[in-house]
Amino acid sequence: MEGQNITRVVLLACGSFNPITNMHLRMFELARDHLEDTGQYRVVKGIISAVGDSYKKKGLIEACHRLEMARLATENSDWITVDSWESSQSEWLETAKVVRHHYEELLATEQNNDDVDTVKYAKKRRIQEDYVESASQYKRRDGPQLMLLCGADVLESFGIPNLWKQEDIAEIVGRYGLVCISRCGSDPHKFIHQSDMLWKYRKNIHVVHEWVTNDISATHVRRALRRGRSVRYLLPDSVVYYIQEHSLYSAESEQKNADVVLAPIQRYLGASSS
């Protein structure tokens, strides 16, 4: 009976993964521990979704390399997978659309597990109607849940003008939920308190404090690599070897997209001026 009250959760991490680091992998472990410690959730899967090349971020190397490094980093994990759907799209996609896609995939998998067609279609209709918007949040009745996993920097980026649509933030946090891993020097609770949107959906935001301080960032890793410094133990060894084999992350690669406007800002500014 106790197990019937536990919600199964799939964690989705979207980002550049340029390159993937040990901290990216630690985020999944920290989030799983935190959610399962509540006694309300059981994390059944983790998904890494790398942004496509059309995101146009400065220093962003080709998605094929970033995906392969992510696959190498997770090859020994029995629950974290790498998905190429987002990076294979011809245009940059808003994170809300990526989350929506993976939730639809999750529903499809659930329906494929049903043996009887009549039960299958009844369940599909029930699950699709299972979100009811109340004054404060979307409430989930049953079934698997998808949550976006991110660092505190992503949470704080919600406040950057023209980077996120307000309706996308409402959908991600209000409908699906967010697991935010705090970083040294960040204060997610303060940011949530200062944002009316996040405060409205605060019960859907799980803030996880990392007590073992680990401030590895892909930016620092790329800087060390282009200066010929060792990055061993910051990345999985298989990723380090891949970078060396393909001569990735040079001074030249860091200037890629240097004069290009970031895709979301370009899109939103273009829409506002039209």
Side-chain angles (χ1 to χ4, degrees):
M1 292 297 292
E2 183 181 348
Q4 294 178 0
N5 297 322
I6 295 179
T7 300
R8 290 173 293 127
V9 172
V10 174
L11 295 170
L12 171 66
C14 299
S16 300
F17 301 103
N18 188 38
I20 192 167
T21 71
N22 287 338
M23 189 57 201
H24 288 131
L25 303 176
R26 279 291 297 155
M27 287 173 58
F28 281 94
E29 299 291 334
L30 291 165
R32 181 170 67 168
D33 284 348
H34 175 85
L35 291 175
E36 294 189 348
D37 278 350
T38 67
Q40 301 176 43
Y41 304 101
R42 179 168 63 90
V43 177
V44 296
K45 186 178 182 181
I47 303 172
I48 291 173
S49 178
V51 74
D53 297 338
S54 54
Y55 186 54
K56 301 298 183 183
K57 186 176 183 179
K58 181 177 178 293
L60 187 68
I61 68 168
E62 292 81 358
C64 60
H65 289 306
R66 291 182 285 114
L67 283 171
E68 185 58 30
M69 287 187 285
R71 292 190 185 103
L72 289 170
T74 57
E75 61 185 352
N76 294 323
S77 174
D78 59 359
W79 69 283
I80 304 173
T81 62
V82 178
D83 188 273
S84 62
W85 181 82
E86 179 184 3
S87 62
S88 67
Q89 303 305 302
S90 58
E91 294 184 343
W92 168 76
L93 293 178
E94 292 93 339
T95 301
K97 291 182 180 178
V98 179
V99 176
R100 208 177 301 146
H101 163 79
H102 283 285
Y103 183 69
E104 290 168 357
E105 290 287 301
L106 183 58
L107 288 185
T109 300
E110 284 292 300
Q111 282 132 38
N112 288 337
N113 289 335
D114 290 328
D115 296 323
V116 182
D117 285 348
T118 55
V119 175
K120 178 193 302 182
Y121 293 118
K123 182 176 181 181
K124 178 179 180 180
R125 182 175 179 181
R126 188 181 75 247
I127 292 177
Q128 288 177 337
E129 296 174 351
D130 233 358
Y131 282 112
V132 179
E133 186 178 9
S134 67
S136 61
Q137 62 182 13
Y138 290 89
K139 292 185 177 178
R140 178 167 186 87
R141 293 198 185 106
D142 67 356
Q145 185 169 354
L146 184 73
M147 293 187 187
L148 183 66
L149 172 63
C150 68
D153 54 334
V154 173
L155 183 74
E156 293 173 358
S157 76
F158 287 165
I160 298 176
N162 302 313
L163 192 59
W164 295 85
K165 295 178 182 177
Q166 291 302 298
E167 56 266 33
D168 284 358
I169 297 174
E171 180 179 0
I172 292 169
V173 183
R175 181 175 183 180
Y176 300 104
L178 192 74
V179 183
C180 174
I181 311 298
S182 68
R183 259 187 167 175
C184 181
S186 67
D187 190 351
H189 290 291
K190 180 179 179 181
F191 189 78
I192 292 168
H193 179 75
Q194 292 174 340
S195 166
D196 289 342
M197 175 73 75
L198 297 180
W199 179 257
K200 179 180 180 181
Y201 299 115
R202 63 192 181 280
K203 293 182 180 179
N204 288 352
I205 303 175
H206 302 266
V207 176
V208 184
H209 187 77
E210 167 60 296
W211 293 103
V212 181
T213 304
N214 190 338
D215 199 27
I216 299 173
S217 77
T219 301
H220 296 158
V221 168
R222 293 197 307 274
R223 182 181 298 120
L225 285 166
R226 67 177 181 265
R227 293 176 180 177
R229 301 298 183 183
S230 171
V231 294
R232 196 173 186 193
Y233 308 119
L234 299 178
L235 319 176
D237 281 348
S238 56
V239 174
V240 175
Y241 299 147
Y242 185 91
I243 290 171
Q244 293 172 343
E245 179 183 357
H246 295 273
S247 302
L248 303 178
Y249 300 114
S250 62
E252 289 75 23
S253 69
E254 191 64 23
Q255 293 306 308
K256 186 176 181 180
N257 299 321
D259 299 322
V260 180
V261 178
L262 201 63
I265 296 177
Q266 189 175 33
R267 179 173 298 178
Y268 300 152
L269 289 179
S272 63
S273 62
S274 61

